[in-house]
Amino acid sequence: MTQAKTRTALVELSGVSKHYGTVRALEGVSLEVHAGEITCVLGDNGAGKSTLIKIIAGLHQHDGGTLRIEGRATRFASPRDALDQGIATVYQDLAVVPLMPVWRNFFLGSEPRTGVGPFKRLDTALMRRTTREALLRMGIDLRDVDQPIGTLSGGERQCVAIARAVHFGARVLILDEPTAALGVKQSGVVLKYVAAARDEGLGVVLITHNPHHAYLVGDRFVLLRRGAAVGNHTREEITLDQLTGQMAGGADLDALRHELRRD
């Protein structure tokens, strides 16, 4: 038995389900997230990935099954509950203020202050210095933390969001399709910092529809289709070709190939 299987998971879902009226969004989905590992959740649009994120992030509550945080059965009442448990979520449409500098976005909502009483003011020097140091710690060397974050590339903004989560003490980092709108080079940069978060000891949940990106960094793979888990594997149990075949639908792909074949 491997060490990862003997220690308690940071997050564990066992047979979790979620319904919206008569619509089945998730049905009996299980996964584990361990410290220092990346769990990849793969599926096409409508597979249930967004619902899964919302349950772990505290936006929605599950209807069935069990959500455990370090072995304790939990039901989050709000995203604040999840944050208090060290679960940070970086959504695809990053919540940033484009015209504000990088350092201000880095501390947005958590700004330190200096001074006493009515003379309190934002500690801009501390925020600039801390932002620069936190980014460098993750290997991110920006030209200038005073530049508007809107001037950064999509990949750079994703990397800043990852560094922010690490700096503010996240133990579990959920990344919602971080490479979906990026080119090959920028995707590689983002995956590099996803791996850096893993190496910092975080448990990472990487939501993606790209099996090649998942296999580059993943330790565990959960495949969703129409709200149900159709595959749950460790890296040792599956090859990239097998993962791609399951993601593509296997038999469905073979049927399509047959239909498209020329006479």
Side-chain angles (χ1 to χ4, degrees), residues 56-58 76 78-89 164 168-170:
I56 302 175
F76 294 134
S78 68
R80 173 52 59 184
D81 282 354
L83 280 170
D84 290 343
Q85 293 289 331
I87 298 174
T89 304
R164 183 184 191 277
F168 282 101

Side-chain angles (χ1 to χ4, degrees), residues 236-251:
E236 293 76 21
E237 296 170 343
I238 194 168
T239 66
L240 175 58
D241 286 344
Q242 291 169 334
L243 184 66
T244 303
Q246 288 194 23
M247 175 71 184

Side-chain angles (χ1 to χ4, degrees), residues 22 31 38 44 84 113 161 164 188 196 220 234:
T22 59
L31 65 76
I38 298 174
D44 287 326
D84 290 343
R113 297 177 181 273
R164 183 184 191 277
R220 299 169 185 269
T234 63

Side-chain angles (χ1 to χ4, degrees), residues 1-262:
M1 184 174 289
T2 65
Q3 182 181 0
K5 292 180 180 177
T6 59
R7 68 181 191 270
T8 303
L10 293 176
V11 175
E12 180 183 2
L13 273 63
S14 300
V16 164
S17 301
K18 179 66 179 177
H19 297 81
Y20 300 99
T22 59
V23 177
R24 181 191 74 171
L26 283 181
E27 189 68 54
V29 173
S30 300
L31 65 76
E32 295 180 7
V33 183
H34 289 270
E37 289 188 0
I38 298 174
T39 297
C40 299
V41 179
L42 300 100
D44 287 326
N45 293 336
K49 304 190 301 297
S50 295
T51 302
L52 186 68
I53 291 174
K54 290 171 182 175
I55 290 172
I56 302 175
L59 280 165
H60 291 174
Q61 293 191 355
H62 50 290
D63 299 325
T66 306
L67 166 64
R68 294 185 180 89
I69 304 298
E70 293 188 295
R72 302 184 308 275
T74 304
R75 184 176 289 272
F76 294 134
S78 68
R80 173 52 59 184
D81 282 354
L83 280 170
D84 290 343
Q85 293 289 331
I87 298 174
T89 304
V90 178
Y91 292 99
Q92 187 176 343
D93 51 343
L94 297 171
V96 298
V97 183
L99 295 180
M100 281 187 177
V102 172
W103 62 265
R104 187 66 192 274
N105 275 277
F106 193 90
F107 278 92
L108 199 60
S110 303
E111 295 88 348
R113 297 177 181 273
T114 187
V116 179
F119 301 104
K120 276 190 175 182
R121 64 187 186 282
L122 294 178
D123 194 341
T124 56
L126 175 63
M127 286 190 278
R128 284 189 176 94
R129 183 174 68 252
T130 302
T131 300
R132 189 175 294 108
E133 291 171 353
L135 294 176
L136 285 173
R137 177 184 172 188
M138 294 287 291
I140 305 168
D141 188 8
L142 290 184
R143 296 177 296 278
D144 183 7
V145 296
D146 279 303
Q147 69 187 102
I149 199 168
T151 64
L152 302 183
S153 68
E156 288 173 326
R157 290 196 296 272
Q158 286 282 352
C159 295
V160 171
I162 293 170
R164 183 184 191 277
V166 172
H167 173 75
F168 282 101
R171 295 184 302 143
V172 176
L173 177 62
I174 306 171
L175 298 166
D176 176 23
E177 299 273 10
T179 62
L182 304 180
V184 174
K185 185 174 181 179
Q186 286 194 40
S187 294
V189 170
V190 171
L191 292 175
K192 173 184 174 183
Y193 296 118
V194 172
R198 173 202 63 199
D199 294 342
E200 287 280 330
L202 277 70
V204 180
V205 180
L206 176 63
I207 310 295
T208 182
H209 62 268
N210 190 315
H212 293 83
H213 291 171
Y215 204 78
L216 281 171
V217 295
D219 299 290
R220 299 169 185 269
F221 308 94
V222 176
L223 292 98
L224 299 181
R225 189 177 305 142
R226 293 190 290 275
V230 294
N232 197 327
H233 311 280
T234 63
R235 188 179 185 86
E236 293 76 21
E237 296 170 343
I238 194 168
T239 66
L240 175 58
D241 286 344
Q242 291 169 334
L243 184 66
T244 303
Q246 288 194 23
M247 175 71 184
D252 294 338
L253 190 63
D254 288 339
L256 178 62
R257 186 181 296 114
H258 178 74
E259 290 178 18
L260 297 177
R261 185 178 298 148
R262 291 184 178 181

